[in-house]
Every structure is written in C-alpha cells, then in structure tokens.
Amino acid sequence: MANRHTIVLMQASQNRASRTFMDFDSLSQAMDGICGLYERKLKEIDPTILNITYDIADLYNFIDGFTDLSALVYDHSIHAFLPYDRQWIKQRMFQHLKKLALK
C-alpha cells in the first residue's frame, strides 16, 4: 500500500472554509506530510525550537484536533480511490513511524 496515490482531506475547524487537501504520490509521503504539518505547528508555537521532538500521543492529539481528517487511497485493482477515516490514519501513522525508527 506504500506506493499508492493518497489524498489527505482535512477540515481544521467548524468553518467549512477551512477545508483543504494535500496530494501525495504514496501513503508514506502522506504520513510524512501530516508529520510535517504538526512540526510546522510546533515551530509556530515556539519559533526558537531547534530540535523538534514529540511522541505518538502528541501527534494523535494533533490529528484528533481536526474537525475532519480522512484519506483517499488509490486502489489499482479497482481503479478507484478508497476512503479511510481518522483512526485508520492514526494506525498507519504508527506503522510508518515504527518503520522509520527501525531504520
């Protein structure tokens, strides 16, 4: 599933105008993109931070802070995008970060 085109749909607040999306060539890139969003948020909060560190619980709280967050992942076998919810994203994020930690 790592090399599937992935679109992350997000809504930051109750305001419908806060809806946006991020488009990635792979699921792995999408997970990195969500981490990047969180890291940028941390830098906004404290621009003096040189080394950003956080644990999975912090990242989950960030993910849960979205009014809506989902992913559309392309399935080559049916030539269509399949929808996945926030919980699935969190599970994939854990697997992704675990794999990175083992490298």
Side-chain angles (χ1 to χ4, degrees):
M1 189 174 274
N3 292 325
R4 292 183 175 177
H5 186 167
T6 303
I7 301 169
V8 177
L9 305 171
M10 61 189 105
Q11 184 173 341
S13 69
Q14 293 292 340
N15 184 348
R16 291 173 61 115
S18 71
R19 289 179 178 172
T20 190
F21 71 95
M22 298 184 302
D23 196 354
F24 301 95
D25 291 331
S26 71
L27 182 56
S28 177
Q29 289 176 357
M31 296 301 108
D32 287 340
I34 294 170
C35 287
L37 278 178
Y38 181 52
E39 291 168 9
R40 283 191 293 282
K41 178 79 167 177
L42 292 176
K43 283 184 182 180
E44 285 175 18
I45 293 169
D46 186 355
T48 63
I49 294 176
L50 297 177
N51 294 319
I52 296 175
T53 59
Y54 52 91
D55 64 27
I56 195 75
D58 297 328
L59 187 56
Y60 285 174
N61 285 335
F62 173 73
I63 289 170
D64 287 337
F66 283 91
T67 298
D68 191 18
L69 184 71
S70 57
L72 298 173
V73 181
Y74 191 74
D75 186 330
H76 294 281
S77 67
I78 62 170
H79 303 289
F81 283 90
L82 296 175
Y84 294 97
D85 65 6
R86 180 189 322 259
Q87 280 307 118
W88 182 88
I89 291 171
K90 288 163 64 173
Q91 291 168 351
R92 287 291 171 172
M93 183 64 73
F94 179 78
Q95 292 170 0
H96 176 70
L97 294 175
K98 184 176 171 183
K99 189 169 79 174
L100 290 177
L102 297 175
K103 286 185 177 180

